[in-house]
Amino acid sequence: FAIVSFLPLYAEQAPEARGTALALAFMGISIGAAAGSPLATGLWTVAGLEGVCLVAAALLLASAGAAWRFLLP
Protein backbone atom coordinates (compact mmCIF):
# COMPACT_ATOMS: atom_id res chain seq x y z
CA PHE A 1 0.00 0.00 0.00
CA ALA A 2 2.78 2.45 0.85
CA ILE A 3 4.51 2.10 -2.51
CA VAL A 4 1.28 2.69 -4.42
CA SER A 5 0.45 5.65 -2.19
CA PHE A 6 3.74 7.34 -3.01
CA LEU A 7 3.40 7.00 -6.81
CA PRO A 8 1.76 10.44 -7.25
CA LEU A 9 4.35 12.01 -4.95
CA TYR A 10 7.22 10.50 -6.95
CA ALA A 11 5.63 11.46 -10.26
CA GLU A 12 5.14 15.12 -9.28
CA GLN A 13 8.76 15.68 -8.26
CA ALA A 14 9.70 16.19 -11.91
CA PRO A 15 6.54 16.45 -14.03
CA GLU A 16 8.54 16.95 -17.22
CA ALA A 17 10.45 13.71 -16.58
CA ARG A 18 7.77 11.65 -14.87
CA GLY A 19 9.01 8.32 -16.26
CA THR A 20 12.57 8.98 -15.11
CA ALA A 21 11.42 10.00 -11.63
CA LEU A 22 9.34 6.84 -11.26
CA ALA A 23 12.19 4.68 -12.58
CA LEU A 24 14.61 6.19 -10.05
CA ALA A 25 12.11 5.74 -7.23
CA PHE A 26 11.54 2.09 -8.07
CA MET A 27 15.28 1.53 -8.49
CA GLY A 28 15.78 2.80 -4.94
CA ILE A 29 12.96 0.61 -3.65
CA SER A 30 14.44 -2.44 -5.38
CA ILE A 31 17.95 -1.82 -4.09
CA GLY A 32 16.60 -1.29 -0.57
CA ALA A 33 14.60 -4.50 -0.70
CA ALA A 34 17.54 -6.48 -2.10
CA ALA A 35 20.04 -5.12 0.42
CA GLY A 36 17.71 -5.04 3.43
CA SER A 37 17.23 -8.76 3.85
CA PRO A 38 20.90 -9.79 4.11
CA LEU A 39 21.77 -6.75 6.22
CA ALA A 40 18.90 -7.39 8.64
CA THR A 41 19.85 -11.07 8.89
CA GLY A 42 23.43 -10.17 9.76
CA LEU A 43 22.29 -7.57 12.25
CA TRP A 44 19.91 -10.09 13.83
CA THR A 45 22.74 -12.57 14.43
CA VAL A 46 24.90 -9.87 16.00
CA ALA A 47 22.42 -7.76 17.96
CA GLY A 48 19.13 -9.67 18.00
CA LEU A 49 15.66 -8.18 17.84
CA GLU A 50 16.57 -5.08 19.83
CA GLY A 51 19.35 -4.16 17.41
CA VAL A 52 17.14 -4.64 14.36
CA CYS A 53 14.39 -2.53 15.94
CA LEU A 54 16.80 0.27 16.88
CA VAL A 55 18.27 0.43 13.38
CA ALA A 56 14.79 0.35 11.84
CA ALA A 57 13.64 3.17 14.12
CA ALA A 58 16.71 5.27 13.27
CA LEU A 59 16.17 4.75 9.54
CA LEU A 60 12.49 5.62 9.90
CA LEU A 61 13.33 8.88 11.66
CA ALA A 62 15.97 9.70 9.05
CA SER A 63 13.56 9.11 6.17
CA ALA A 64 10.82 11.14 7.89
CA GLY A 65 13.31 13.98 8.39
CA ALA A 66 14.39 13.83 4.75
CA ALA A 67 10.78 13.83 3.58
CA TRP A 68 9.98 16.77 5.83
CA ARG A 69 13.07 18.66 4.67
CA PHE A 70 12.78 18.09 0.93
CA LEU A 71 9.09 17.55 0.24
CA LEU A 72 7.32 20.17 2.32
CA PRO A 73 7.14 23.71 0.88
Side-chain angles (χ1 to χ4, degrees):
F1 178 75
I3 294 172
V4 174
S5 299
F6 276 108
L7 283 176
L9 182 64
Y10 296 145
E12 290 302 317
Q13 294 307 306
E16 67 283 349
R18 193 167 277 134
T20 303
L22 288 172
L24 287 172
F26 278 105
M27 182 183 69
I29 291 167
S30 298
I31 290 171
S37 181
L39 290 175
T41 303
L43 182 60
W44 182 279
T45 59
V46 172
L49 178 62
E50 184 176 317
V52 172
C53 290
L54 288 173
V55 169
L59 291 172
L60 176 68
L61 290 174
S63 65
W68 179 76
R69 167 70 174 91
F70 294 108
L71 298 179
L72 293 178

Tab-separated table of all heavy atoms in Angstrom:
chain	number	residue	atom	x	y	z
A	1	PHE	N	0.812	-1.196	0.000
A	1	PHE	CA	0.000	0.000	0.000
A	1	PHE	C	0.855	1.259	0.000
A	1	PHE	O	0.535	2.225	-0.672
A	1	PHE	CB	-0.940	-0.021	1.206
A	1	PHE	CG	-1.792	1.205	1.313
A	1	PHE	CD1	-2.867	1.391	0.462
A	1	PHE	CD2	-1.518	2.169	2.253
A	1	PHE	CE1	-3.651	2.521	0.559
A	1	PHE	CE2	-2.294	3.291	2.357
A	1	PHE	CZ	-3.371	3.471	1.506
A	2	ALA	N	1.950	1.253	0.747
A	2	ALA	CA	2.778	2.451	0.846
A	2	ALA	C	3.426	2.809	-0.481
A	2	ALA	O	3.504	3.996	-0.831
A	2	ALA	CB	3.841	2.256	1.916
A	3	ILE	N	3.861	1.811	-1.223
A	3	ILE	CA	4.506	2.095	-2.509
A	3	ILE	C	3.504	2.716	-3.465
A	3	ILE	O	3.790	3.714	-4.134
A	3	ILE	CB	5.127	0.807	-3.096
A	3	ILE	CG1	6.280	0.341	-2.209
A	3	ILE	CG2	5.615	1.045	-4.512
A	3	ILE	CD1	6.822	-1.010	-2.588
A	4	VAL	N	2.316	2.158	-3.533
A	4	VAL	CA	1.283	2.690	-4.423
A	4	VAL	C	0.870	4.085	-3.975
A	4	VAL	O	0.611	4.962	-4.810
A	4	VAL	CB	0.079	1.733	-4.463
A	4	VAL	CG1	-1.059	2.320	-5.267
A	4	VAL	CG2	0.494	0.391	-5.040
A	5	SER	N	0.838	4.332	-2.695
A	5	SER	CA	0.446	5.647	-2.187
A	5	SER	C	1.448	6.727	-2.562
A	5	SER	O	1.080	7.895	-2.723
A	5	SER	CB	0.312	5.605	-0.667
A	5	SER	OG	-0.678	4.692	-0.290
A	6	PHE	N	2.706	6.349	-2.694
A	6	PHE	CA	3.736	7.337	-3.013
A	6	PHE	C	3.916	7.572	-4.509
A	6	PHE	O	4.665	8.464	-4.897
A	6	PHE	CB	5.082	6.932	-2.396
A	6	PHE	CG	5.205	7.347	-0.970
A	6	PHE	CD1	5.151	6.416	0.044
A	6	PHE	CD2	5.379	8.679	-0.633
A	6	PHE	CE1	5.257	6.799	1.371
A	6	PHE	CE2	5.493	9.074	0.682
A	6	PHE	CZ	5.430	8.125	1.692
A	7	LEU	N	3.252	6.809	-5.367
A	7	LEU	CA	3.399	6.998	-6.809
A	7	LEU	C	3.097	8.430	-7.256
A	7	LEU	O	3.886	9.015	-8.001
A	7	LEU	CB	2.535	5.998	-7.578
A	7	LEU	CG	3.084	4.582	-7.651
A	7	LEU	CD1	2.084	3.670	-8.353
A	7	LEU	CD2	4.407	4.543	-8.362
A	8	PRO	N	1.998	9.048	-6.829
A	8	PRO	CA	1.761	10.437	-7.249
A	8	PRO	C	2.826	11.398	-6.720
A	8	PRO	O	3.210	12.341	-7.413
A	8	PRO	CB	0.396	10.777	-6.649
A	8	PRO	CG	-0.241	9.471	-6.351
A	8	PRO	CD	0.867	8.512	-6.084
A	9	LEU	N	3.308	11.150	-5.514
A	9	LEU	CA	4.347	12.005	-4.952
A	9	LEU	C	5.635	11.909	-5.763
A	9	LEU	O	6.264	12.915	-6.088
A	9	LEU	CB	4.610	11.618	-3.494
A	9	LEU	CG	5.635	12.446	-2.743
A	9	LEU	CD1	5.159	13.878	-2.600
A	9	LEU	CD2	5.890	11.838	-1.381
A	10	TYR	N	6.028	10.691	-6.116
A	10	TYR	CA	7.216	10.505	-6.952
A	10	TYR	C	7.029	11.166	-8.309
A	10	TYR	O	7.926	11.838	-8.815
A	10	TYR	CB	7.504	9.023	-7.180
A	10	TYR	CG	7.856	8.231	-5.955
A	10	TYR	CD1	7.453	6.907	-5.826
A	10	TYR	CD2	8.596	8.771	-4.916
A	10	TYR	CE1	7.776	6.161	-4.718
A	10	TYR	CE2	8.915	8.037	-3.796
A	10	TYR	CZ	8.502	6.728	-3.703
A	10	TYR	OH	8.821	5.992	-2.610
A	11	ALA	N	5.873	10.965	-8.911
A	11	ALA	CA	5.626	11.459	-10.259
A	11	ALA	C	5.629	12.984	-10.321
A	11	ALA	O	6.014	13.562	-11.338
A	11	ALA	CB	4.308	10.913	-10.778
A	12	GLU	N	5.220	13.656	-9.274
A	12	GLU	CA	5.139	15.116	-9.285
A	12	GLU	C	6.450	15.804	-8.930
A	12	GLU	O	6.528	17.024	-8.978
A	12	GLU	CB	4.036	15.587	-8.343
A	12	GLU	CG	2.652	15.255	-8.838
A	12	GLU	CD	2.360	15.857	-10.207
A	12	GLU	OE1	2.707	17.025	-10.438
A	12	GLU	OE2	1.804	15.128	-11.051
A	13	GLN	N	7.475	15.055	-8.589
A	13	GLN	CA	8.759	15.683	-8.263
A	13	GLN	C	9.409	16.288	-9.501
A	13	GLN	O	10.124	17.278	-9.402
A	13	GLN	CB	9.701	14.674	-7.597
A	13	GLN	CG	9.223	14.204	-6.249
A	13	GLN	CD	8.907	15.350	-5.321
A	13	GLN	OE1	9.729	16.228	-5.087
A	13	GLN	NE2	7.692	15.368	-4.791
A	14	ALA	N	9.184	15.675	-10.640
A	14	ALA	CA	9.703	16.186	-11.912
A	14	ALA	C	8.655	15.899	-12.981
A	14	ALA	O	8.781	14.926	-13.721
A	14	ALA	CB	11.026	15.537	-12.245
A	15	PRO	N	7.626	16.734	-13.088
A	15	PRO	CA	6.538	16.446	-14.028
A	15	PRO	C	6.996	16.312	-15.474
A	15	PRO	O	6.431	15.544	-16.238
A	15	PRO	CB	5.600	17.647	-13.873
A	15	PRO	CG	5.914	18.229	-12.554
A	15	PRO	CD	7.364	17.933	-12.302
A	16	GLU	N	8.053	17.029	-15.849
A	16	GLU	CA	8.541	16.954	-17.225
A	16	GLU	C	9.309	15.660	-17.492
A	16	GLU	O	9.537	15.305	-18.636
A	16	GLU	CB	9.424	18.165	-17.559
A	16	GLU	CG	10.736	18.223	-16.794
A	16	GLU	CD	10.614	18.682	-15.347
A	16	GLU	OE1	9.552	19.166	-14.934
A	16	GLU	OE2	11.610	18.527	-14.619
A	17	ALA	N	9.725	14.975	-16.438
A	17	ALA	CA	10.453	13.708	-16.576
A	17	ALA	C	9.822	12.669	-15.652
A	17	ALA	O	10.495	12.021	-14.852
A	17	ALA	CB	11.924	13.913	-16.236
A	18	ARG	N	8.521	12.524	-15.765
A	18	ARG	CA	7.765	11.649	-14.866
A	18	ARG	C	8.273	10.202	-14.919
A	18	ARG	O	8.428	9.549	-13.892
A	18	ARG	CB	6.286	11.719	-15.231
A	18	ARG	CG	5.379	11.125	-14.223
A	18	ARG	CD	3.940	11.514	-14.492
A	18	ARG	NE	3.712	12.842	-13.911
A	18	ARG	CZ	3.091	13.826	-14.538
A	18	ARG	NH1	2.639	13.675	-15.743
A	18	ARG	NH2	2.920	14.977	-13.942
A	19	GLY	N	8.541	9.697	-16.120
A	19	GLY	CA	9.015	8.320	-16.260
A	19	GLY	C	10.360	8.107	-15.586
A	19	GLY	O	10.592	7.095	-14.928
A	20	THR	N	11.257	9.070	-15.745
A	20	THR	CA	12.572	8.976	-15.106
A	20	THR	C	12.456	9.021	-13.592
A	20	THR	O	13.131	8.268	-12.889
A	20	THR	CB	13.476	10.118	-15.603
A	20	THR	OG1	13.572	10.047	-17.026
A	20	THR	CG2	14.860	10.025	-15.011
A	21	ALA	N	11.607	9.897	-13.083
A	21	ALA	CA	11.420	9.995	-11.634
A	21	ALA	C	10.875	8.696	-11.062
A	21	ALA	O	11.350	8.211	-10.020
A	21	ALA	CB	10.493	11.155	-11.298
A	22	LEU	N	9.902	8.102	-11.737
A	22	LEU	CA	9.340	6.838	-11.259
A	22	LEU	C	10.365	5.716	-11.360
A	22	LEU	O	10.455	4.864	-10.472
A	22	LEU	CB	8.077	6.491	-12.036
A	22	LEU	CG	6.863	7.355	-11.703
A	22	LEU	CD1	5.728	7.069	-12.671
A	22	LEU	CD2	6.421	7.141	-10.279
A	23	ALA	N	11.158	5.712	-12.434
A	23	ALA	CA	12.189	4.683	-12.582
A	23	ALA	C	13.226	4.791	-11.471
A	23	ALA	O	13.643	3.771	-10.895
A	23	ALA	CB	12.857	4.801	-13.941
A	24	LEU	N	13.641	6.004	-11.138
A	24	LEU	CA	14.608	6.191	-10.051
A	24	LEU	C	14.018	5.782	-8.708
A	24	LEU	O	14.708	5.175	-7.878
A	24	LEU	CB	15.078	7.645	-10.003
A	24	LEU	CG	16.028	8.074	-11.113
A	24	LEU	CD1	16.249	9.577	-11.065
A	24	LEU	CD2	17.346	7.336	-10.997
A	25	ALA	N	12.760	6.116	-8.487
A	25	ALA	CA	12.114	5.739	-7.229
A	25	ALA	C	12.052	4.222	-7.090
A	25	ALA	O	12.390	3.671	-6.036
A	25	ALA	CB	10.716	6.339	-7.158
A	26	PHE	N	11.635	3.539	-8.151
A	26	PHE	CA	11.543	2.089	-8.072
A	26	PHE	C	12.908	1.420	-8.027
A	26	PHE	O	13.058	0.345	-7.446
A	26	PHE	CB	10.687	1.540	-9.213
A	26	PHE	CG	9.237	1.642	-8.915
A	26	PHE	CD1	8.451	2.600	-9.527
A	26	PHE	CD2	8.646	0.812	-7.974
A	26	PHE	CE1	7.108	2.716	-9.234
A	26	PHE	CE2	7.306	0.914	-7.668
A	26	PHE	CZ	6.533	1.868	-8.297
A	27	MET	N	13.927	2.055	-8.616
A	27	MET	CA	15.280	1.525	-8.489
A	27	MET	C	15.724	1.578	-7.024
A	27	MET	O	16.288	0.622	-6.497
A	27	MET	CB	16.258	2.314	-9.353
A	27	MET	CG	17.681	1.771	-9.291
A	27	MET	SD	18.859	2.733	-10.239
A	27	MET	CE	18.935	4.236	-9.282
A	28	GLY	N	15.440	2.689	-6.354
A	28	GLY	CA	15.784	2.801	-4.942
A	28	GLY	C	15.038	1.802	-4.082
A	28	GLY	O	15.606	1.198	-3.163
A	29	ILE	N	13.753	1.597	-4.390
A	29	ILE	CA	12.964	0.613	-3.650
A	29	ILE	C	13.539	-0.784	-3.851
A	29	ILE	O	13.671	-1.558	-2.894
A	29	ILE	CB	11.485	0.681	-4.087
A	29	ILE	CG1	10.859	1.991	-3.620
A	29	ILE	CG2	10.702	-0.512	-3.560
A	29	ILE	CD1	9.513	2.288	-4.253
A	30	SER	N	13.902	-1.106	-5.083
A	30	SER	CA	14.439	-2.440	-5.385
A	30	SER	C	15.780	-2.672	-4.710
A	30	SER	O	16.028	-3.746	-4.156
A	30	SER	CB	14.586	-2.613	-6.893
A	30	SER	OG	13.333	-2.513	-7.523
A	31	ILE	N	16.645	-1.676	-4.741
A	31	ILE	CA	17.947	-1.817	-4.085
A	31	ILE	C	17.768	-1.965	-2.579
A	31	ILE	O	18.422	-2.783	-1.939
A	31	ILE	CB	18.856	-0.625	-4.427
A	31	ILE	CG1	19.284	-0.691	-5.896
A	31	ILE	CG2	20.088	-0.583	-3.523
A	31	ILE	CD1	19.997	0.542	-6.393
A	32	GLY	N	16.866	-1.184	-2.006
A	32	GLY	CA	16.604	-1.294	-0.572
A	32	GLY	C	16.059	-2.651	-0.179
A	32	GLY	O	16.468	-3.231	0.834
A	33	ALA	N	15.164	-3.181	-0.993
A	33	ALA	CA	14.603	-4.504	-0.702
A	33	ALA	C	15.651	-5.595	-0.849
A	33	ALA	O	15.707	-6.535	-0.055
A	33	ALA	CB	13.416	-4.780	-1.613
A	34	ALA	N	16.500	-5.463	-1.864
A	34	ALA	CA	17.536	-6.477	-2.097
A	34	ALA	C	18.616	-6.431	-1.021
A	34	ALA	O	19.134	-7.468	-0.606
A	34	ALA	CB	18.154	-6.286	-3.475
A	35	ALA	N	18.975	-5.248	-0.577
A	35	ALA	CA	20.039	-5.117	0.420
A	35	ALA	C	19.521	-5.305	1.845
A	35	ALA	O	20.275	-5.724	2.732
A	35	ALA	CB	20.700	-3.747	0.299
A	36	GLY	N	18.253	-5.001	2.073
A	36	GLY	CA	17.713	-5.043	3.430
A	36	GLY	C	17.695	-6.413	4.055
A	36	GLY	O	18.005	-6.568	5.246
A	37	SER	N	17.349	-7.417	3.285
A	37	SER	CA	17.234	-8.761	3.851
A	37	SER	C	18.565	-9.306	4.365
A	37	SER	O	18.650	-9.734	5.515
A	37	SER	CB	16.619	-9.701	2.821
A	37	SER	OG	16.485	-10.986	3.359
A	38	PRO	N	19.636	-9.289	3.569
A	38	PRO	CA	20.899	-9.795	4.113
A	38	PRO	C	21.467	-8.927	5.237
A	38	PRO	O	22.056	-9.447	6.192
A	38	PRO	CB	21.848	-9.827	2.918
A	38	PRO	CG	21.172	-9.159	1.804
A	38	PRO	CD	19.748	-8.997	2.148
A	39	LEU	N	21.269	-7.612	5.148
A	39	LEU	CA	21.766	-6.748	6.223
A	39	LEU	C	21.009	-6.986	7.522
A	39	LEU	O	21.610	-7.035	8.606
A	39	LEU	CB	21.666	-5.280	5.807
A	39	LEU	CG	22.623	-4.838	4.706
A	39	LEU	CD1	22.331	-3.405	4.299
A	39	LEU	CD2	24.056	-4.992	5.152
A	40	ALA	N	19.698	-7.137	7.438
A	40	ALA	CA	18.905	-7.394	8.639
A	40	ALA	C	19.235	-8.755	9.238
A	40	ALA	O	19.270	-8.911	10.465
A	40	ALA	CB	17.421	-7.298	8.317
A	41	THR	N	19.484	-9.745	8.383
A	41	THR	CA	19.849	-11.069	8.888
A	41	THR	C	21.162	-11.016	9.651
A	41	THR	O	21.296	-11.588	10.742
A	41	THR	CB	19.949	-12.069	7.719
A	41	THR	OG1	18.703	-12.090	7.033
A	41	THR	CG2	20.284	-13.456	8.211
A	42	GLY	N	22.142	-10.316	9.071
A	42	GLY	CA	23.430	-10.168	9.763
A	42	GLY	C	23.303	-9.406	11.063
A	42	GLY	O	23.900	-9.763	12.078
A	43	LEU	N	22.505	-8.355	11.040
A	43	LEU	CA	22.291	-7.568	12.254
A	43	LEU	C	21.575	-8.400	13.311
A	43	LEU	O	21.888	-8.298	14.501
A	43	LEU	CB	21.492	-6.308	11.927
A	43	LEU	CG	21.232	-5.351	13.071
A	43	LEU	CD1	22.548	-4.838	13.650
A	43	LEU	CD2	20.367	-4.197	12.602
A	44	TRP	N	20.643	-9.237	12.890
A	44	TRP	CA	19.908	-10.090	13.832
A	44	TRP	C	20.863	-11.042	14.538
A	44	TRP	O	20.747	-11.250	15.753
A	44	TRP	CB	18.824	-10.876	13.100
A	44	TRP	CG	17.999	-11.733	13.994
A	44	TRP	CD1	18.314	-12.967	14.471
A	44	TRP	CD2	16.722	-11.421	14.548
A	44	TRP	NE1	17.320	-13.446	15.275
A	44	TRP	CE2	16.323	-12.510	15.337
A	44	TRP	CE3	15.886	-10.328	14.438
A	44	TRP	CZ2	15.115	-12.537	16.014
A	44	TRP	CZ3	14.688	-10.358	15.117
A	44	TRP	CH2	14.317	-11.455	15.890
A	45	THR	N	21.801	-11.630	13.804
A	45	THR	CA	22.735	-12.572	14.425
A	45	THR	C	23.681	-11.872	15.394
A	45	THR	O	24.117	-12.468	16.372
A	45	THR	CB	23.547	-13.338	13.363
A	45	THR	OG1	24.280	-12.424	12.572
A	45	THR	CG2	22.652	-14.178	12.493
A	46	VAL	N	23.981	-10.609	15.126
A	46	VAL	CA	24.901	-9.874	15.998
A	46	VAL	C	24.183	-9.230	17.178
A	46	VAL	O	24.632	-9.330	18.321
A	46	VAL	CB	25.654	-8.795	15.186
A	46	VAL	CG1	26.473	-7.896	16.073
A	46	VAL	CG2	26.522	-9.434	14.125
A	47	ALA	N	23.042	-8.566	16.924
A	47	ALA	CA	22.415	-7.755	17.963
A	47	ALA	C	21.013	-8.202	18.352
A	47	ALA	O	20.426	-7.622	19.261
A	47	ALA	CB	22.370	-6.302	17.509
A	48	GLY	N	20.454	-9.175	17.655
A	48	GLY	CA	19.127	-9.666	18.005
A	48	GLY	C	18.012	-8.700	17.621
A	48	GLY	O	18.206	-7.747	16.868
A	49	LEU	N	16.843	-8.964	18.171
A	49	LEU	CA	15.657	-8.177	17.840
A	49	LEU	C	15.818	-6.716	18.230
A	49	LEU	O	15.420	-5.816	17.490
A	49	LEU	CB	14.431	-8.781	18.530
A	49	LEU	CG	13.113	-8.052	18.318
A	49	LEU	CD1	12.728	-8.055	16.847
A	49	LEU	CD2	12.025	-8.662	19.163
A	50	GLU	N	16.408	-6.464	19.371
A	50	GLU	CA	16.572	-5.082	19.826
A	50	GLU	C	17.426	-4.271	18.851
A	50	GLU	O	17.105	-3.128	18.528
A	50	GLU	CB	17.201	-5.052	21.213
A	50	GLU	CG	17.299	-3.655	21.782
A	50	GLU	CD	17.832	-3.664	23.204
A	50	GLU	OE1	17.410	-4.505	23.999
A	50	GLU	OE2	18.678	-2.795	23.486
A	51	GLY	N	18.497	-4.857	18.370
A	51	GLY	CA	19.352	-4.157	17.412
A	51	GLY	C	18.643	-3.866	16.108
A	51	GLY	O	18.750	-2.765	15.552
A	52	VAL	N	17.889	-4.842	15.605
A	52	VAL	CA	17.138	-4.642	14.362
A	52	VAL	C	16.101	-3.544	14.550
A	52	VAL	O	15.934	-2.667	13.690
A	52	VAL	CB	16.483	-5.959	13.899
A	52	VAL	CG1	15.557	-5.722	12.725
A	52	VAL	CG2	17.537	-6.984	13.528
A	53	CYS	N	15.407	-3.551	15.676
A	53	CYS	CA	14.388	-2.532	15.937
A	53	CYS	C	15.002	-1.139	16.077
A	53	CYS	O	14.438	-0.158	15.580
A	53	CYS	CB	13.592	-2.883	17.185
A	53	CYS	SG	12.514	-4.307	16.958
A	54	LEU	N	16.148	-1.038	16.731
A	54	LEU	CA	16.801	0.267	16.879
A	54	LEU	C	17.262	0.829	15.534
A	54	LEU	O	17.086	2.017	15.256
A	54	LEU	CB	17.983	0.159	17.847
A	54	LEU	CG	17.615	-0.014	19.311
A	54	LEU	CD1	18.862	-0.279	20.151
A	54	LEU	CD2	16.879	1.208	19.822
A	55	VAL	N	17.832	-0.027	14.697
A	55	VAL	CA	18.268	0.431	13.377
A	55	VAL	C	17.060	0.818	12.536
A	55	VAL	O	17.074	1.839	11.841
A	55	VAL	CB	19.132	-0.645	12.684
A	55	VAL	CG1	19.378	-0.304	11.226
A	55	VAL	CG2	20.449	-0.810	13.412
A	56	ALA	N	15.994	0.031	12.595
A	56	ALA	CA	14.787	0.346	11.836
A	56	ALA	C	14.188	1.677	12.299
A	56	ALA	O	13.758	2.497	11.475
A	56	ALA	CB	13.764	-0.775	11.981
A	57	ALA	N	14.171	1.917	13.601
A	57	ALA	CA	13.640	3.172	14.118
A	57	ALA	C	14.496	4.354	13.681
A	57	ALA	O	13.975	5.413	13.299
A	57	ALA	CB	13.549	3.115	15.640
A	58	ALA	N	15.808	4.191	13.705
A	58	ALA	CA	16.707	5.267	13.273
A	58	ALA	C	16.514	5.570	11.785
A	58	ALA	O	16.466	6.742	11.381
A	58	ALA	CB	18.152	4.881	13.551
A	59	LEU	N	16.385	4.536	10.966
A	59	LEU	CA	16.165	4.754	9.538
A	59	LEU	C	14.806	5.388	9.270
A	59	LEU	O	14.671	6.223	8.370
A	59	LEU	CB	16.312	3.438	8.775
A	59	LEU	CG	17.730	2.872	8.712
A	59	LEU	CD1	17.725	1.483	8.098
A	59	LEU	CD2	18.650	3.804	7.953
A	60	LEU	N	13.804	5.017	10.044
A	60	LEU	CA	12.489	5.622	9.899
A	60	LEU	C	12.533	7.113	10.225
A	60	LEU	O	11.991	7.941	9.490
A	60	LEU	CB	11.476	4.911	10.800
A	60	LEU	CG	10.080	5.514	10.816
A	60	LEU	CD1	9.401	5.319	9.474
A	60	LEU	CD2	9.263	4.893	11.921
A	61	LEU	N	13.204	7.467	11.302
A	61	LEU	CA	13.329	8.880	11.663
A	61	LEU	C	14.126	9.650	10.620
A	61	LEU	O	13.789	10.796	10.287
A	61	LEU	CB	13.970	9.022	13.037
A	61	LEU	CG	13.104	8.588	14.212
A	61	LEU	CD1	13.904	8.638	15.511
A	61	LEU	CD2	11.867	9.454	14.316
A	62	ALA	N	15.174	9.034	10.085
A	62	ALA	CA	15.971	9.697	9.045
A	62	ALA	C	15.151	9.919	7.782
A	62	ALA	O	15.214	10.998	7.175
A	62	ALA	CB	17.217	8.867	8.735
A	63	SER	N	14.371	8.936	7.385
A	63	SER	CA	13.564	9.107	6.175
A	63	SER	C	12.439	10.112	6.396
A	63	SER	O	12.111	10.892	5.496
A	63	SER	CB	13.010	7.767	5.703
A	63	SER	OG	12.109	7.235	6.643
A	64	ALA	N	11.851	10.135	7.586
A	64	ALA	CA	10.824	11.136	7.886
A	64	ALA	C	11.430	12.537	7.880
A	64	ALA	O	10.817	13.483	7.369
A	64	ALA	CB	10.173	10.844	9.230
A	65	GLY	N	12.629	12.677	8.411
A	65	GLY	CA	13.310	13.976	8.390
A	65	GLY	C	13.642	14.422	6.975
A	65	GLY	O	13.476	15.592	6.634
A	66	ALA	N	14.087	13.482	6.145
A	66	ALA	CA	14.393	13.828	4.752
A	66	ALA	C	13.124	14.211	4.004
A	66	ALA	O	13.123	15.170	3.220
A	66	ALA	CB	15.088	12.658	4.065
A	67	ALA	N	12.041	13.493	4.236
A	67	ALA	CA	10.778	13.829	3.579
A	67	ALA	C	10.288	15.192	4.033
A	67	ALA	O	9.844	16.006	3.219
A	67	ALA	CB	9.726	12.750	3.883
A	68	TRP	N	10.404	15.474	5.306
A	68	TRP	CA	9.979	16.766	5.832
A	68	TRP	C	10.840	17.885	5.246
A	68	TRP	O	10.348	18.939	4.856
A	68	TRP	CB	10.081	16.773	7.350
A	68	TRP	CG	9.677	18.070	7.965
A	68	TRP	CD1	8.413	18.546	8.126
A	68	TRP	CD2	10.541	19.065	8.485
A	68	TRP	NE1	8.452	19.793	8.729
A	68	TRP	CE2	9.745	20.126	8.958
A	68	TRP	CE3	11.927	19.171	8.607
A	68	TRP	CZ2	10.287	21.255	9.521
A	68	TRP	CZ3	12.473	20.296	9.185
A	68	TRP	CH2	11.642	21.330	9.635
A	69	ARG	N	12.143	17.635	5.153
A	69	ARG	CA	13.072	18.659	4.665
A	69	ARG	C	12.899	18.957	3.188
A	69	ARG	O	12.917	20.100	2.755
A	69	ARG	CB	14.503	18.193	4.961
A	69	ARG	CG	15.604	18.955	4.270
A	69	ARG	CD	15.741	20.371	4.839
A	69	ARG	NE	16.887	21.040	4.275
A	69	ARG	CZ	16.838	21.794	3.183
A	69	ARG	NH1	15.724	21.941	2.522
A	69	ARG	NH2	17.916	22.400	2.743
A	70	PHE	N	12.750	17.917	2.367
A	70	PHE	CA	12.783	18.095	0.929
A	70	PHE	C	11.421	18.133	0.257
A	70	PHE	O	11.310	18.580	-0.879
A	70	PHE	CB	13.635	16.999	0.286
A	70	PHE	CG	15.084	17.087	0.660
A	70	PHE	CD1	15.647	16.170	1.510
A	70	PHE	CD2	15.874	18.120	0.171
A	70	PHE	CE1	16.989	16.256	1.865
A	70	PHE	CE2	17.196	18.228	0.525
A	70	PHE	CZ	17.760	17.291	1.372
A	71	LEU	N	10.378	17.645	0.900
A	71	LEU	CA	9.093	17.555	0.237
A	71	LEU	C	8.079	18.585	0.686
A	71	LEU	O	7.136	18.870	-0.035
A	71	LEU	CB	8.494	16.159	0.413
A	71	LEU	CG	9.322	15.035	-0.201
A	71	LEU	CD1	8.642	13.700	0.058
A	71	LEU	CD2	9.528	15.251	-1.680
A	72	LEU	N	8.267	19.144	1.864
A	72	LEU	CA	7.318	20.171	2.317
A	72	LEU	C	7.745	21.542	1.787
A	72	LEU	O	8.931	21.832	1.707
A	72	LEU	CB	7.241	20.192	3.839
A	72	LEU	CG	6.622	18.957	4.477
A	72	LEU	CD1	6.643	19.084	5.991
A	72	LEU	CD2	5.192	18.760	4.013
A	73	PRO	N	6.779	22.379	1.435
A	73	PRO	CA	7.136	23.709	0.879
A	73	PRO	C	7.761	24.626	1.893
A	73	PRO	O	7.702	24.531	3.028
A	73	PRO	CB	5.805	24.257	0.396
A	73	PRO	CG	4.740	23.422	0.974
A	73	PRO	CD	5.362	22.165	1.464
